[in-house]
Amino acid sequence: SLDLETMRRFTSTVPLNRVIEIQGQTMTLKEAVLSPSGITVKANISRENSMKVSGLFQPYIESSKEGSSAVQLGNPLTWMPGAQGDMTYFFESDALDQPDTLVLKAGGMQAVNQEEMQIVVDVKQKKVLSSPEDRIQFGDYTKSKDKYTLSLKYEERDFNHGAVSIDSLGFTDGEGKRHVFKVQEGSRSSSESTGVDGYWSTTMYLYLEPEDYPQPLTFDVSSFPGVIEQAIEVPIQ
């Protein structure tokens, strides 16, 4: 536990204003808030990027103190970019040890081509017409009285590069009409090992309201594994 006075004494805000650019894609690290309870780094993803950038790849903070080995402070939680591109990273802290230096490090930037961030499915043909890198396959389409269930299969080749997720706001039918997922159902994923080269086979389940939808159906992809690898180092303290 921490008393309020200790918390105040070890808490500070460090302006960063550091622009990171990799292959023309940029993001700005705005500031870091250091405290005994954790380190917060606020960032912004440029809306001018030609690719969909979702942040840093495998970020952590390296803490060093003279006479001791460097310590890695992990990143247990991240708030992903909002509508304006603002995002927040949360890291562990060793502020009470009074480290001499803190350096934010990462293995690169998570980025994928914008035009590939959709999955187009024709459920009547039982076929995925297009998807990011053509890596999503049709699973099944079942109908019940209260919901229709579409399953899509995906092989996780780059598990450490992130996961596939579908935008929860809804989808578009073949006539351009927007629909929402079934209330309180939405979508979910389950994964199991294929036992082949350590790959994982993932099945995504999308729950739709019972309706005869004009085909094809278009689902927006909110995240997809894609990384531009390049070492990043930004001093914080």
Side-chain angles (χ1 to χ4, degrees):
S1 61
L2 289 167
D3 62 87
L4 188 56
E5 181 56 36
T6 300
M7 189 72 175
R8 287 173 176 165
R9 186 159 61 92
F10 284 89
T11 298
S12 61
T13 299
V14 181
L16 298 176
N17 300 318
R18 171 73 178 270
V19 177
I20 297 173
E21 180 175 351
I22 303 179
Q23 295 183 15
Q25 311 306 308
T26 64
M27 65 179 293
T28 302
L29 300 177
K30 299 192 295 184
E31 66 177 24
V33 178
L34 315 180
S35 81
S37 61
I39 298 175
T40 301
V41 176
K42 296 183 178 181
N44 180 267
I45 305 296
S46 172
R47 302 177 72 178
E48 304 300 318
N49 287 328
S50 60
M51 302 177 72
K52 182 177 178 60
V53 176
S54 53
L56 299 173
F57 173 55
Q58 295 184 337
Y60 65 94
I61 290 177
E62 185 175 271
S63 172
S64 300
K65 186 177 180 66
E66 186 176 355
S68 303
S69 300
V71 175
Q72 287 191 11
L73 305 176
N75 167 225
L77 177 66
T78 299
W79 287 350
M80 299 304 287
Q84 302 303 315
D86 291 327
M87 65 183 305
T88 304
Y89 292 95
F90 298 91
F91 297 91
E92 299 162 345
S93 175
D94 62 349
L96 297 182
D97 293 334
Q98 297 181 290
D100 297 319
T101 62
L102 295 172
V103 180
L104 173 63
K105 294 188 175 183
M109 187 181 291
Q110 293 180 320
V112 292
N113 292 326
Q114 292 273 17
E115 61 271 17
E116 293 185 347
M117 296 297 284
Q118 288 186 330
I119 300 173
V120 182
V121 184
D122 191 313
V123 299
K124 292 183 178 179
Q125 296 184 47
K126 297 185 176 181
K127 183 178 181 181
V128 173
L129 304 182
S130 66
S131 70
E133 299 182 5
D134 296 325
R135 287 169 59 180
I136 310 292
Q137 298 180 346
F138 186 86
D140 200 2
Y141 189 60
T142 59
K143 299 180 179 180
S144 65
K145 182 178 179 180
D146 62 338
K147 65 185 175 186
Y148 291 177
T149 304
L150 169 64
S151 65
L152 302 171
K153 296 183 179 297
Y154 169 71
E155 188 177 78
E156 299 277 8
R157 301 177 190 171
D158 306 305
F159 193 72
N160 290 330
H161 286 187
V164 178
S165 61
I166 305 294
D167 192 321
S168 61
L169 296 180
F171 60 97
T172 305
D173 67 25
E175 294 180 351
K177 183 180 178 181
R178 289 288 292 176
H179 300 269
V180 296
F181 290 108
K182 184 169 178 58
V183 177
Q184 296 181 338
E185 296 265 9
S187 64
R188 66 180 175 87
S189 298
S190 66
S191 304
E192 60 182 7
S193 176
T194 63
V196 180
D197 297 327
Y199 292 163
W200 287 74
S201 176
T202 297
T203 301
M204 297 178 286
Y205 297 93
L206 309 177
Y207 300 100
L208 318 182
E209 294 285 355
E211 187 176 331
D212 185 17
Y213 299 100
Q215 299 300 301
L217 307 181
T218 300
F219 302 89
D220 292 325
V221 178
S222 55
S223 69
F224 188 82
V227 172
I228 306 174
E229 295 193 27
Q230 179 176 308
I232 295 170
E233 293 191 14
V234 178
I236 294 178
Q237 174 178 295

